[in-house]
């Protein structure tokens, strides 16, 4: 473990830390000296990750979290404060994605994306904002998507939920004043299991194919998150886009 200025000692909660991008963010931040609160539903995966972080000399606590439940986000923030007495960064990374034409009328999938990607983000902000205000410092980092920047058929609801997050984050930045930072990170195609959430067989096969061809490692997104966190307190990195060089 090598402590890094700006990251070392900060208490950082990561939602969706049980796999993919969230796991990579938690690992990298812990390696750089952050104390990490691991949030997701799969507690076994979180316990395994916490074990690996501690084995490497880092500090982690598990907080089983379903971001569609408001009280779980309150518990996530409380877990960091109870263990380390403060709470510095909320990384809202948990996400749901089901891609396919609107005519599929996958209303259950639409609801899930709204619940996880929009309401989950709002619940997290509602839980952390009073703490940040009381402390006089804090940082919201939200994982959005290139899908919201480059709209294409099949991604309507997923992109819409990610752009709800983008709009909200910009308003949040303007409203919270000069002691709280707000960062949105938009990844392109990343090598994770995220494609499994798509029910439409054709859309899923297409995504799997391009993932095999061009996807970048989740650690690329983790480095972008660390970059935003490690800046001096008066520097607010607001938007980062990280995608494969080979992506259209
Ligand atoms: N992979 C890509 O190409 C890509 C591109 C752009 C943006 N993104 C975004 O990156 C983020 C992470 O996705 P990933 O690619 O790392 O995929 P992933 O490996 O499938 O991770 C998704 C994570 O979200 C968590 N999650 C889902 N529903 C949840 C809920 N209700 N409560 C708490 N956690 C929940 C999952 O944990 P549990 O199942 O254990 O709860 C899992 O840890 C998402 O926001 C996604 O939209 C991904």
């Amino acid at each position: 473990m090598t402590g890094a200025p700006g990251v070392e000692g900060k208490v950082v909660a990561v939602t969706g830390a049980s796999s993919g991008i969230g796991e990579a963010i938690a690992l990298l931040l812990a390696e750089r000296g952050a104390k990490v609160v691991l949030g997701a539903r799969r507690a076994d995966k979180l316990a395994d990750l916490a074990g690996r972080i501690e084995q490497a000399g880092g500090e982690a606590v598990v907080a089983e979290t379903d971001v569609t439940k408001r009280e779980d986000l309150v518990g996530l923030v409380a877990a960091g404060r109870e263990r380390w007495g403060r709470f510095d960064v909320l990384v809202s990374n948990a996400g749901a994605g089901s891609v396919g034409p609107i005519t599929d009328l996958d209303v259950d999938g639409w609801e899930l994306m709204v619940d996880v990607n929009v309401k989950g983000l709002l619940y997290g902000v509602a839980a952390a904002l009073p703490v940040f205000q009381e402390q006089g410092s804090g940082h919201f980092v939200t994982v959005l998507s290139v899908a919201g920047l480059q709209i294409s058929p099949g991604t309507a609801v997923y992109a819409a939920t990610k752009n709800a997050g983008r709009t909200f984050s910009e308003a949040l930045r303007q409203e919270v004043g000069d002691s709280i930072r707000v960062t949105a990170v938009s990844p392109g195609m990343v090598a994770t299991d995220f494609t499994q959430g798509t029910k439409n067989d054709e859309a899923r096969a297409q995504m799997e194919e391009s993932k095999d061809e061009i996807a970048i490692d989740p650690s690329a997104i983790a480095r972008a998150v660390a970059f935003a966190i490690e800046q001096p307190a008066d520097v607010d990195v607001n938007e980062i886009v990280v995608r494969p060089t080979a992506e259209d």
Side-chain angles (χ1 to χ4, degrees):
M1 204 194 79
T2 47
V7 175
E8 190 166 18
K10 280 191 177 152
V11 177
V12 183
V14 182
T15 68
S18 56
S19 60
I21 294 170
E23 178 183 359
I25 292 170
L27 276 170
L28 182 70
L29 295 179
E31 192 186 306
R32 295 191 181 177
K35 302 165 195 304
V36 290
V37 186
L38 309 173
R41 294 165 302 175
R42 286 172 293 173
D44 54 333
K45 297 255 181 204
L46 298 179
D48 175 76
L49 176 59
R52 280 184 280 144
I53 288 171
E54 281 160 6
Q55 192 77 33
E59 289 184 74
V61 69
V62 168
E64 196 175 329
T65 304
D66 180 341
V67 298
T68 68
K69 296 183 177 149
R70 187 175 170 189
E71 63 275 18
D72 283 12
L73 276 306
V74 173
L76 183 80
V77 173
R81 292 187 97 193
E82 274 160 26
R83 174 77 179 269
W84 294 294
R86 55 182 297 110
F87 189 78
D88 299 297
V89 187
L90 175 64
V91 181
S92 297
N93 161 79
S98 186
V99 169
I102 295 167
T103 49
D104 279 359
L105 300 182
D106 175 21
V107 178
D108 290 344
W110 298 351
E111 279 179 344
L112 182 67
M113 287 185 273
V114 170
D115 286 347
V116 176
N117 302 349
V118 182
K119 289 164 86 175
L121 167 64
L122 300 181
Y123 292 158
V125 171
L129 186 55
V131 177
F132 289 170
Q133 287 175 315
E134 187 192 312
Q135 280 180 181
S137 67
H139 193 169
F140 292 106
V141 178
T142 302
V143 178
L144 301 174
S145 176
V146 161
L149 299 170
Q150 205 168 343
I151 310 300
S152 52
T155 64
V157 179
Y158 178 62
T161 60
K162 291 295 180 179
N163 282 342
R166 195 178 314 279
T167 302
F168 177 77
S169 294
E170 173 56 13
L172 182 67
R173 180 190 75 76
Q174 293 176 21
E175 285 188 30
V176 289
D178 58 10
S179 60
I180 296 173
R181 304 191 292 176
V182 180
T183 301
V185 180
S186 294
M189 181 62 81
V190 181
T192 71
D193 293 336
F194 199 65
T195 43
Q196 296 306 311
T198 285
K199 292 177 210 144
N200 183 295
D201 291 335
E202 202 184 322
R204 194 177 58 255
Q206 267 175 18
M207 281 195 298
E208 291 286 348
E209 200 182 315
S210 58
K211 186 171 85 169
D212 290 346
E213 284 169 8
I214 65 165
I216 53 176
D217 192 80
S219 59
I221 312 307
R223 289 192 297 275
V225 171
F227 171 77
I229 294 173
E230 76 193 7
Q231 299 305 310
D234 62 346
V235 177
D236 198 3
V237 177
N238 301 130
E239 285 263 6
I240 308 181
V241 180
V242 184
R243 63 181 137 205
T245 49
E247 191 163 314
D248 289 341

